[in-house]
Amino acid sequence: MYIQYSMDQLSLPMDLEEDIPENHSVRVVNDAVNRLDDKIFAAAYPGGGRDSYHPKMLIKVIIYAYTQRIYSSRQIAKAVRENVMFMWIAGRQRPDFRTINRFRSERMKEVLETVFTAVLQFLAEEKYVKLEHYFVDGTKIEANANRYTFVWGKAVVKQKMKLQEKVQTLFATIDEAEKQEDREHRSQDLSELGEATKITSEKLETAVKQLEEKLQAKPKDKPLKKAVRQIRKDLLPRLQKYETHQEILEDRNSFSKTDPDATFMRMKEDHMRNGQLKPGYNVQIGTENQFIVGYSLHQRPTDTRCLKPHLEKVKNTLGKLPGTVIADAGYGGEENYAYLESEQLEALMKYSTYHKEKSKAWKKDISKIDNWQYDETEDTWTCAAGQKLLFRYESKEKTESGFEIRYRHYRSTNCAGCPLKPSCTKAVGNREVKVSLRYLRFKQQIREKLQSEEGYSLSVRRMIEPESVFGQMKNNRGFRRFLLRGLPKVSLEVGWLSLAHNLLKKSAIDQKRKVVEQQ
């Protein structure tokens, strides 16, 4: 015998909701988006034209797609036609892939962060997050760009200098070939060009126009004609190209031709195992209870310079910052410590030598200033041999971001004949050191906090906070490469990922709570 099977209309469910379990993640997405105020979408829909799909429907479809490892707009459109969960959350409407992609990457450009903040507010109201502790970390995700389309900043500078010298030599050669009366006139033109390194495409354009005017008067001057052709077809276009590359680079060291906003970085996912650089972005997130509280996208491969702009973005989005910021040693530095102190935030960030200082070798190393005594009253350092290093002068250094570090320089009065000198320094004369007293103060504060019970607990918890979120994104949901190109669109992708992660996390917690209640 067989179970009765029929394709009649009355045998099929009239309401798709009957096939959706009570605690399914699609219901969590549906409920969260339904709570959003319709006024949020006013900026994305100024009016005019034919009626649009409701933005809440499209948001639900895209967020749920991201929770199901579906990122392609074509695959999302296909799921809306074929998948029961997508049919239900879309209300049986069928937006095509162009509509989905346009909404995801253009319509939501000014709105997505507001949606993210609103959903985060719901989570805070329901006690999923308290916005007290902020665990920061970053990961690199490959850009949607070809791997061998790199442009290196140093190479651009080098080639541009060679080209400028070639232009200067060319004009000097033209002068030598000119007659005496023309040589004086041409010398004035060369003085306008200036030094080789100061030759710009605008100056070269002006100079070649003057040569073309001269060529009209002397059409049979072959060297002049050859020079004009060389400048027009080769030198000027190349100089313009190098200047364009430098504008794109700004303060970066590389970019990709297929995605100029992407920077070449060293990735952990190195399939060739040869340390190959790939175009990508540095994604920074802050988490609490493994919910993403803030996110930002950066073009720098290192985390140190990303902390301040990341927190500034979170502050603008949420209106405030959580009280305690916890991060790994990659963020530890005087600039970041000073910024957190100015914002009246508690910092729990190890510095680069934190773990080394605990070793016996470090504690016995008499060359380390950390093992010396500092007299604040006299402003002197006492080395392991008992010699005092006296203050000499103060110097200032600025980082790439413009942050000023003040160093105080000290020198010993007499190291001659000291039996410990070979272990202390390799310098021929007396021992000299330069110290940032502010940085030493920050390091001492961090040591005390990390050695406390609460500080140690938070530093251990950091290991399972953002790292787990990145593991969910990359491994469990298979997001290892961006689909869109350009910093604005890629930032939107990170926003969609963050929304999907938070609602999926809420769904998992709700299901666990229900199981506990039933037991």
Side-chain angles (χ1 to χ4, degrees), residues 6-19:
S6 173
M7 293 293 291
D8 295 336
Q9 181 65 40
L10 294 177
S11 301
L12 298 174
M14 300 299 291
D15 187 359
L16 294 175
E17 191 168 1
E18 295 179 6
D19 290 338

PDB file of all heavy atoms in Angstrom, residues 6-19:
ATOM      1  N   SER A   6      -1.395  13.062  -4.459  1.00  0.00           N
ATOM      2  CA  SER A   6      -2.183  13.748  -5.482  1.00  0.00           C
ATOM      3  C   SER A   6      -1.627  15.143  -5.688  1.00  0.00           C
ATOM      4  O   SER A   6      -1.099  15.770  -4.766  1.00  0.00           O
ATOM      5  CB  SER A   6      -3.646  13.852  -5.035  1.00  0.00           C
ATOM      6  OG  SER A   6      -4.380  14.648  -5.952  1.00  0.00           O
ATOM      7  N   MET A   7      -1.702  15.645  -6.899  1.00  0.00           N
ATOM      8  CA  MET A   7      -1.262  17.003  -7.231  1.00  0.00           C
ATOM      9  C   MET A   7      -2.441  17.943  -7.397  1.00  0.00           C
ATOM     10  O   MET A   7      -2.297  19.031  -7.952  1.00  0.00           O
ATOM     11  CB  MET A   7      -0.439  16.975  -8.526  1.00  0.00           C
ATOM     12  CG  MET A   7       0.894  16.253  -8.394  1.00  0.00           C
ATOM     13  SD  MET A   7       2.034  17.111  -7.303  1.00  0.00           S
ATOM     14  CE  MET A   7       2.378  18.563  -8.283  1.00  0.00           C
ATOM     15  N   ASP A   8      -3.622  17.547  -6.924  1.00  0.00           N
ATOM     16  CA  ASP A   8      -4.792  18.409  -7.025  1.00  0.00           C
ATOM     17  C   ASP A   8      -4.585  19.653  -6.173  1.00  0.00           C
ATOM     18  O   ASP A   8      -3.895  19.639  -5.157  1.00  0.00           O
ATOM     19  CB  ASP A   8      -6.048  17.673  -6.544  1.00  0.00           C
ATOM     20  CG  ASP A   8      -6.374  16.499  -7.464  1.00  0.00           C
ATOM     21  OD1 ASP A   8      -5.933  16.563  -8.632  1.00  0.00           O
ATOM     22  OD2 ASP A   8      -7.028  15.556  -6.994  1.00  0.00           O
ATOM     23  N   GLN A   9      -5.232  20.736  -6.541  1.00  0.00           N
ATOM     24  CA  GLN A   9      -5.088  22.007  -5.832  1.00  0.00           C
ATOM     25  C   GLN A   9      -5.485  21.890  -4.374  1.00  0.00           C
ATOM     26  O   GLN A   9      -4.858  22.467  -3.494  1.00  0.00           O
ATOM     27  CB  GLN A   9      -5.959  23.076  -6.521  1.00  0.00           C
ATOM     28  CG  GLN A   9      -5.869  24.457  -5.875  1.00  0.00           C
ATOM     29  CD  GLN A   9      -4.480  25.050  -6.018  1.00  0.00           C
ATOM     30  OE1 GLN A   9      -3.847  24.923  -7.056  1.00  0.00           O
ATOM     31  NE2 GLN A   9      -3.992  25.689  -4.968  1.00  0.00           N
ATOM     32  N   LEU A  10      -6.527  21.095  -4.096  1.00  0.00           N
ATOM     33  CA  LEU A  10      -7.007  20.971  -2.719  1.00  0.00           C
ATOM     34  C   LEU A  10      -6.031  20.181  -1.844  1.00  0.00           C
ATOM     35  O   LEU A  10      -6.077  20.263  -0.627  1.00  0.00           O
ATOM     36  CB  LEU A  10      -8.392  20.301  -2.701  1.00  0.00           C
ATOM     37  CG  LEU A  10      -9.511  21.102  -3.351  1.00  0.00           C
ATOM     38  CD1 LEU A  10     -10.809  20.297  -3.345  1.00  0.00           C
ATOM     39  CD2 LEU A  10      -9.733  22.431  -2.630  1.00  0.00           C
ATOM     40  N   SER A  11      -5.128  19.428  -2.457  1.00  0.00           N
ATOM     41  CA  SER A  11      -4.165  18.645  -1.697  1.00  0.00           C
ATOM     42  C   SER A  11      -2.945  19.479  -1.279  1.00  0.00           C
ATOM     43  O   SER A  11      -2.208  19.111  -0.380  1.00  0.00           O
ATOM     44  CB  SER A  11      -3.689  17.445  -2.507  1.00  0.00           C
ATOM     45  OG  SER A  11      -4.779  16.622  -2.851  1.00  0.00           O
ATOM     46  N   LEU A  12      -2.720  20.597  -1.963  1.00  0.00           N
ATOM     47  CA  LEU A  12      -1.581  21.464  -1.644  1.00  0.00           C
ATOM     48  C   LEU A  12      -1.972  22.470  -0.563  1.00  0.00           C
ATOM     49  O   LEU A  12      -3.127  22.883  -0.487  1.00  0.00           O
ATOM     50  CB  LEU A  12      -1.124  22.211  -2.906  1.00  0.00           C
ATOM     51  CG  LEU A  12      -0.618  21.324  -4.049  1.00  0.00           C
ATOM     52  CD1 LEU A  12      -0.349  22.182  -5.287  1.00  0.00           C
ATOM     53  CD2 LEU A  12       0.644  20.583  -3.636  1.00  0.00           C
ATOM     54  N   PRO A  13      -1.026  22.890   0.274  1.00  0.00           N
ATOM     55  CA  PRO A  13      -1.352  23.868   1.326  1.00  0.00           C
ATOM     56  C   PRO A  13      -1.703  25.218   0.727  1.00  0.00           C
ATOM     57  O   PRO A  13      -0.986  25.730  -0.129  1.00  0.00           O
ATOM     58  CB  PRO A  13      -0.071  23.931   2.156  1.00  0.00           C
ATOM     59  CG  PRO A  13       1.011  23.496   1.226  1.00  0.00           C
ATOM     60  CD  PRO A  13       0.375  22.496   0.315  1.00  0.00           C
ATOM     61  N   MET A  14      -2.786  25.796   1.173  1.00  0.00           N
ATOM     62  CA  MET A  14      -3.189  27.123   0.705  1.00  0.00           C
ATOM     63  C   MET A  14      -2.349  28.209   1.372  1.00  0.00           C
ATOM     64  O   MET A  14      -2.153  29.281   0.823  1.00  0.00           O
ATOM     65  CB  MET A  14      -4.677  27.351   1.011  1.00  0.00           C
ATOM     66  CG  MET A  14      -5.607  26.342   0.358  1.00  0.00           C
ATOM     67  SD  MET A  14      -5.483  26.378  -1.447  1.00  0.00           S
ATOM     68  CE  MET A  14      -6.197  27.973  -1.795  1.00  0.00           C
ATOM     69  N   ASP A  15      -1.844  27.912   2.566  1.00  0.00           N
ATOM     70  CA  ASP A  15      -1.036  28.876   3.308  1.00  0.00           C
ATOM     71  C   ASP A  15       0.343  28.275   3.525  1.00  0.00           C
ATOM     72  O   ASP A  15       0.487  27.242   4.182  1.00  0.00           O
ATOM     73  CB  ASP A  15      -1.703  29.192   4.650  1.00  0.00           C
ATOM     74  CG  ASP A  15      -0.993  30.328   5.382  1.00  0.00           C
ATOM     75  OD1 ASP A  15       0.026  30.830   4.835  1.00  0.00           O
ATOM     76  OD2 ASP A  15      -1.443  30.700   6.470  1.00  0.00           O
ATOM     77  N   LEU A  16       1.388  28.922   2.994  1.00  0.00           N
ATOM     78  CA  LEU A  16       2.749  28.405   3.118  1.00  0.00           C
ATOM     79  C   LEU A  16       3.231  28.373   4.566  1.00  0.00           C
ATOM     80  O   LEU A  16       4.147  27.633   4.899  1.00  0.00           O
ATOM     81  CB  LEU A  16       3.713  29.261   2.284  1.00  0.00           C
ATOM     82  CG  LEU A  16       3.527  29.216   0.764  1.00  0.00           C
ATOM     83  CD1 LEU A  16       4.465  30.210   0.098  1.00  0.00           C
ATOM     84  CD2 LEU A  16       3.770  27.822   0.240  1.00  0.00           C
ATOM     85  N   GLU A  17       2.616  29.168   5.409  1.00  0.00           N
ATOM     86  CA  GLU A  17       3.048  29.255   6.805  1.00  0.00           C
ATOM     87  C   GLU A  17       2.914  27.915   7.520  1.00  0.00           C
ATOM     88  O   GLU A  17       3.604  27.652   8.499  1.00  0.00           O
ATOM     89  CB  GLU A  17       2.240  30.330   7.533  1.00  0.00           C
ATOM     90  CG  GLU A  17       2.799  30.673   8.902  1.00  0.00           C
ATOM     91  CD  GLU A  17       2.167  31.931   9.466  1.00  0.00           C
ATOM     92  OE1 GLU A  17       1.298  32.510   8.786  1.00  0.00           O
ATOM     93  OE2 GLU A  17       2.531  32.315  10.578  1.00  0.00           O
ATOM     94  N   GLU A  18       2.053  27.049   7.029  1.00  0.00           N
ATOM     95  CA  GLU A  18       1.872  25.743   7.653  1.00  0.00           C
ATOM     96  C   GLU A  18       3.127  24.886   7.568  1.00  0.00           C
ATOM     97  O   GLU A  18       3.342  24.001   8.394  1.00  0.00           O
ATOM     98  CB  GLU A  18       0.699  25.005   6.971  1.00  0.00           C
ATOM     99  CG  GLU A  18      -0.650  25.684   7.189  1.00  0.00           C
ATOM    100  CD  GLU A  18      -1.761  24.933   6.470  1.00  0.00           C
ATOM    101  OE1 GLU A  18      -1.475  23.841   5.924  1.00  0.00           O
ATOM    102  OE2 GLU A  18      -2.896  25.427   6.453  1.00  0.00           O
ATOM    103  N   ASP A  19       3.970  25.142   6.556  1.00  0.00           N
ATOM    104  CA  ASP A  19       5.171  24.339   6.357  1.00  0.00           C
ATOM    105  C   ASP A  19       6.397  24.931   7.047  1.00  0.00           C
ATOM    106  O   ASP A  19       7.508  24.415   6.882  1.00  0.00           O
ATOM    107  CB  ASP A  19       5.470  24.203   4.862  1.00  0.00           C
ATOM    108  CG  ASP A  19       4.445  23.332   4.161  1.00  0.00           C
ATOM    109  OD1 ASP A  19       3.785  22.533   4.847  1.00  0.00           O
ATOM    110  OD2 ASP A  19       4.295  23.460   2.936  1.00  0.00           O
TER     111      ASP A  19
END
